[in-house]
Amino acid sequence: MSNVRSFSRSFSGGVVTPEFWAQIGDSTFQTGLAKCRNFVTLPHGPAANRPGTQFVRKAKLGDTGVDVRLIPFEFSVTQTLALEFGAGYIRFHTLGATVLAGSPAAYNGATAYTVGKLVSSGATNYYCIAPTTGNAPPNAAYWYPLPSDAYEIPTSYAQGDLFDLHFVQSADVLTITHPSYPVRELRRLGATEWTLVDVSFAPSILAPTGTGGTATTAAGPYRDYKYVITAKNEAGEESVASAVVTLNNNLLSTGASNAITWSAATGAVRYSVYLQSNGLYGYIGETDALTFTDDNITPDLAKTPPINDNPFGSTSNYPRAVSYFEQRRVFAGTTNKPQNLWMTRTGTESNLNYSIPTRDDDRVAFRISARQVNTVLHAVPLVNLVLLSNAAEWRVSSVSSDAITPTSLSVKPQSYVGSSNVQPVVVNNNILFAAARGGHLREMAYDNNAGGYITGDLSLRAPHLFARRTIKDMAYSKAPFPIVWVVSSSGRLLTLTYIPEQRIGAWHYQDTGDGDTFVSVCVVTEGDDDAVYVAVKRTIGGNVKTYVERFAARQYPTLEDEEDETAPQYDLVNSVFLDSSLTYTGTAATTVTGLGHLEGRTVSILGDGAVFPDKVVTSGAVTLDNPASTITVGLPIVADLQTLPLVYQGEAFGQGRVKNVNGVWLRLYRSSGVKVGPTFAKLTEHKQRSNEPLGTPPTLVSDEIKLTLSPSWQSGGQVCVRHDSPTPLTISSLTLEVSVGG
């Protein structure tokens, strides 16, 4: 019998499938894990237990346990929200709280109300859904009652359609598409003034009206001269043509002229005049006045008035995909034309006009020619515009100019994988999308050697996390660490530490509570970090309820403490390592109320940084054994980590020999509460306390510790690490001392 030592210096490989455990020559094997539950592997190698979630609010229909969809909205760096989309409504959450309606002014019958305005009447707040004066609430034609103190707006989106909504944001407007609904814009007019309106696919400026004219005649013969006028606004957007003005004259005669007149168009700064020739209207001039004189100007048929086009005007013609690219808004994939793509006129949001002959700034409309019928599901802007369908991926670029125009378009297939309907995320210059079949997550990136985009399977080494399951929702957080958050149909939250330029792609997974499941996820910027909001289904009193929660951030007392390796990095008093938690701060107390959302559940408690005994929530409250000033109560989180089977330099790398792990050395970083053993049923706890005063938080360990384990001969020589305390744990390295049998 001999003893060997094995050193794991990094966990950046993440969890790998048991089918991979024999691939000892693969680099990922040296940094991989057999299990990584409720841990996150950090980009630089350590494994840290995940923070807990803070309870935000029960979803509007949360008592029925239905799904809700969370969608991010970022108006500015300091104004971000997680939007709760439910059946027929939208609610708004920010900074871990729900936006409230406040105290609107009382309804006034003399006031002209517009869509989005709030009023109060009879102790109820109402949202205006149609312009009105003198129609007092309750009146379903004009007013939507807010069922609680939360601010919300009504929608027509059905429960079953929520996860098929696609979206893109520009400034304070969120564009939403779905093949069963008209294209809509969610517009932020104020903190509690939002509107959801159908998009009008027409120029933002109307054509001039009141057209007419006077012919100054001379010698005949006479003929009809037909004119149309367009209006232009300050942005240079041009209206469609006005009604035709017909004047009978002979402009070839000396002194003959036609004076065309019109009424002012709202927002117009200039007007263009066109004369018909050979069936087309050609440009003859421009003016800022309301009249124009034609004294035999030759029309330029290379410049004609715009022609209005709205391909999205009816059921089965609503697009699925939406994006922005090169100053155009992009739509694609209607039911009737699944392989078609449309791009608005340059510099416009909704103008789909075109001209004859075609101009470079006209709207772009084309159909992808493919070997089979494909439905375009997503349009993703990178250096090129990338289209993802259910069966293939294409690159859209320009062949003869720097920018895409109606005549310079090139569409080339890049791969034939296919995407699901889950909206992809962009990481650096890579697209991450859920595969149409198999449930795996794929990456798509440009490759110079290939001269195009190539795809790869990010789930290759951890297929057991995805097998027989599908991806339901997805989001990406940049800070403090780059992590992709994937909601699985299993109810787990699959997480991927992903840094493509460093070839880091480590999987781990998060679960929560007994039988509780994740439903949706979104990420918004809050302060210096990205805040991760989740919708969670929890069983309370035998009934499933849906909550909105936010992952907490690890707390740093001061910048100096963060930089000082000897100082406690985590503020244990305010750190949150519990799920669906609520924190009380005030005078020292022994009772915490407001826990009705966890009624009947066993909860863990952290008081002033010290771990208290678990309690059961009764009548929405728990009573502590001792008073504390800052108390966090929530569902316990069990974090498990397990190493891969032991491999060492020797005959057959130690395969075929039984092993017993005698001792483990863990290098911890500001940690507390770790248990280690050969199995999760035989764990040894590190006795951390030494000389701290009774009732004070334990001192966090930043050192190498040794634990002697219970004997357990096994073929793999694996070690299990468990953390079930509401405190931080970061493992920098792990060393095993193993006895090897014959």
Side-chain angles (χ1 to χ4, degrees):
M1 180 185 300
S2 61
N3 286 347
V4 298
R5 288 196 178 185
S6 172
F7 177 55
S8 298
R9 64 186 182 277
S10 173
F11 307 102
S12 60
V15 65
V16 297
T17 178
E19 299 167 305
F20 185 80
W21 292 0
Q23 306 301 316
I24 61 177
D26 190 283
S27 59
T28 304
F29 187 92
Q30 309 304 319
T31 57
L33 292 165
K35 191 170 189 176
C36 194
R37 171 198 179 199
N38 289 323
F39 274 95
V40 171
T41 61
L42 305 183
H44 46 290
N49 68 316
R50 70 163 173 89
T53 65
Q54 298 163 315
F55 178 74
V56 177
R57 193 182 181 100
K58 180 172 61 179
K60 178 185 176 181
L61 304 176
D63 283 334
T64 63
V66 297
D67 289 1
V68 296
R69 170 92 181 275
L70 300 181
I71 291 179
F73 187 98
E74 299 200 3
F75 172 65
S76 66
V77 175
T78 58
Q79 300 182 63
T80 62
L81 301 103
L83 310 184
E84 174 193 325
F85 277 68
Y89 75 93
I90 304 173
R91 283 188 174 178
F92 306 82
H93 310 282
T94 183
L95 298 175
T98 302
V99 176
L100 304 180
S103 301
Y107 172 79
N108 187 327
T111 301
Y113 293 102
T114 56
V115 175
K117 297 297 184 181
L118 292 181
V119 300
S120 64
S121 178
T124 300
N125 293 330
Y126 291 88
Y127 174 93
C128 183
I129 59 175
T132 182
T133 303
N135 294 292
N139 186 324
Y142 301 100
W143 300 102
Y144 171 79
L146 303 188
S148 69
D149 60 341
Y151 175 76
E152 68 179 65
I153 68 172
T155 77
S156 62
Y157 296 125
Q159 177 70 43
D161 295 329
L162 298 178
F163 284 85
D164 290 329
L165 298 176
H166 292 173
F167 58 89
V168 68
Q169 185 177 347
S170 176
D172 55 358
V173 175
L174 185 78
T175 307
I176 305 171
T177 57
H178 187 285
S180 299
Y181 300 88
V183 179
R184 290 172 177 156
E185 290 178 345
L186 179 64
R187 300 173 181 172
R188 178 192 181 277
L189 307 178
T192 55
E193 187 175 357
W194 296 69
T195 61
L196 183 65
V197 298
D198 292 355
V199 176
S200 173
F201 288 97
S204 60
I205 183 170
L206 297 177
T209 58
T211 54
T214 302
T216 300
T217 61
Y222 302 120
R223 69 177 181 86
D224 287 342
Y225 291 81
K226 295 184 177 182
Y227 302 90
V228 294
I229 306 98
T230 62
K232 291 184 177 180
N233 59 22
E234 288 186 351
E237 188 176 7
E238 189 174 8
S239 73
V240 296
S242 68
V244 177
V245 177
T246 302
L247 297 176
N248 192 256
N249 206 340
N250 179 13
L251 296 184
L252 297 176
S253 299
T254 302
S257 63
N258 288 333
I260 305 98
T261 60
W262 56 89
S263 300
T266 302
V269 296
R270 298 192 68 81
Y271 302 89
S272 295
V273 182
Y274 299 86
L275 171 64
Q276 188 185 69
S277 176
N278 294 322
L280 292 176
Y281 284 91
Y283 175 84
I284 61 172
E286 192 169 286
T287 179
D288 58 2
L290 300 178
T291 183
F292 183 88
T293 299
D294 176 17
D295 55 1
N296 197 28
I297 303 172
T298 302
D300 181 0
L301 296 179
K303 296 175 64 177
T304 60
I307 300 170
N308 183 248
D309 182 29
N310 178 12
F312 313 131
S314 61
T315 304
S316 299
N317 289 306
Y318 302 137
R320 288 174 171 80
V322 61
S323 188
Y324 284 94
F325 189 69
E326 293 186 349
Q327 301 300 307
R328 301 174 186 259
R329 190 155 56 171
V330 180
F331 301 94
T334 66
T335 300
N336 285 339
K337 297 182 178 179
Q339 296 180 196
N340 284 44
L341 179 139
W342 297 264
M343 303 172 70
T344 62
R345 288 179 67 107
T346 302
T348 70
E349 296 277 323
S350 310
N351 189 331
L352 288 169
N353 291 350
Y354 65 97
S355 305
I356 300 175
T358 299
R359 300 182 188 179
D360 284 349
D361 64 348
D362 278 351
R363 67 101 166 96
V364 176
F366 68 91
R367 177 183 179 276
I368 299 172
S369 297
R371 299 185 302 174
Q372 62 187 63
V373 175
N374 293 280
T375 299
V376 178
L377 302 174
H378 312 287
V380 184
L382 295 176
V383 175
N384 303 123
L385 180 65
V386 178
L387 303 181
L388 306 179
S389 80
N390 61 303
E393 294 72 46
W394 291 277
R395 175 181 63 174
V396 181
S397 59
S398 175
V399 294
S400 58
S401 63
D402 292 334
I404 288 179
T405 69
T407 58
S408 69
L409 199 67
S410 172
V411 181
K412 294 182 178 180
Q414 303 298 294
S415 58
Y416 294 92
V417 175
S419 169
S420 79
N421 208 33
V422 176
Q423 186 145 325
V425 298
V426 176
V427 181
N428 299 346
N429 289 319
N430 293 10
I431 302 171
L432 273 60
F433 65 93
R437 290 171 296 281
H440 285 205
L441 186 68
R442 308 278 304 193
E443 65 177 340
M444 185 176 186
Y446 190 85
D447 184 271
N448 285 324
N449 294 327
Y453 292 86
I454 59 174
T455 65
D457 188 352
L458 288 173
S459 315
L460 189 64
R461 291 178 173 82
H464 63 303
L465 298 180
F466 301 86
R468 297 177 300 279
R469 302 177 180 94
T470 58
I471 292 174
K472 187 175 180 181
D473 203 5
M474 184 163 52
Y476 170 66
S477 61
K478 301 177 183 177
F481 303 110
I483 295 176
V484 181
W485 305 78
V486 178
V487 177
S488 170
S489 58
S490 67
R492 288 176 172 176
L493 191 60
L494 310 181
T495 44
L496 173 70
T497 303
Y498 181 67
I499 308 178
E501 67 273 17
Q502 298 294 332
R503 299 183 181 276
I504 294 175
W507 283 105
H508 13 84
Y509 69 90
Q510 323 303 324
D511 55 27
T512 175
D514 288 331
D516 298 344
T517 58
F518 291 99
V519 175
S520 181
V521 62
C522 82
V523 172
V524 295
T525 302
E526 290 184 356
D528 293 330
D529 290 341
D530 288 334
V532 180
Y533 285 80
V534 288
V536 188
K537 286 185 177 181
R538 300 196 182 279
T539 301
I540 307 297
N543 298 314
V544 177
K545 299 181 183 293
T546 307
Y547 297 155
V548 176
E549 303 177 10
R550 182 184 70 160
F551 274 92
R554 291 174 180 252
Q555 300 293 324
Y556 303 95
T558 66
L559 178 62
E560 290 74 19
D561 286 345
E562 182 182 351
E563 295 174 344
D564 181 2
E565 292 186 357
T566 63
Q569 183 175 9
Y570 304 121
D571 176 5
L572 276 179
V573 174
N574 295 302
S575 292
V576 177
F577 292 95
L578 301 166
D579 275 347
S580 201
S581 65
L582 181 146
T583 298
Y584 162 83
T585 302
T587 57
T590 57
T591 300
V592 179
T593 60
L595 296 170
H597 67 288
L598 295 177
E599 184 69 26
R601 297 288 292 265
T602 299
V603 294
S604 293
I605 303 169
L606 192 72
D608 293 338
V611 179
F612 282 61
D614 291 353
K615 300 288 182 178
V616 175
V617 177
T618 304
S619 300
V622 294
T623 300
L624 282 64
D625 296 341
N626 297 292
S629 299
T630 300
I631 308 168
T632 299
V633 182
L635 298 173
I637 301 172
V638 177
D640 289 338
L641 182 148
Q642 185 181 28
T643 62
L644 291 174
L646 177 66
V647 172
Y648 61 90
Q649 290 293 333
E651 182 182 352
F653 295 97
Q655 305 303 295
R657 294 177 180 268
V658 293
K659 308 166 188 74
N660 177 50
V661 181
N662 303 316
V664 175
W665 286 264
L666 293 176
R667 180 162 293 280
L668 305 180
Y669 183 70
R670 293 163 180 170
S671 301
S672 175
V674 61
K675 302 174 182 177
V676 184
T679 67
F680 287 111
K682 299 177 66 175
L683 296 172
T684 301
E685 183 175 3
H686 172 58
K687 305 301 182 182
Q688 186 165 324
R689 282 192 178 273
S690 55
N691 57 0
E692 302 100 327
L694 185 66
T696 62
T699 301
L700 298 178
V701 175
S702 289
D703 201 354
E704 186 175 64
I705 64 170
K706 180 183 179 181
L707 291 94
T708 301
L709 306 188
S710 302
S712 179
W713 289 93
Q714 52 179 290
S715 61
Q718 295 170 269
V719 166
C720 299
V721 179
R722 172 162 288 173
H723 181 72
D724 52 14
S725 172
T727 55
L729 173 63
T730 301
I731 305 173
S732 298
S733 68
L734 183 149
T735 301
L736 308 182
E737 182 180 82
V738 185
S739 297
V740 181

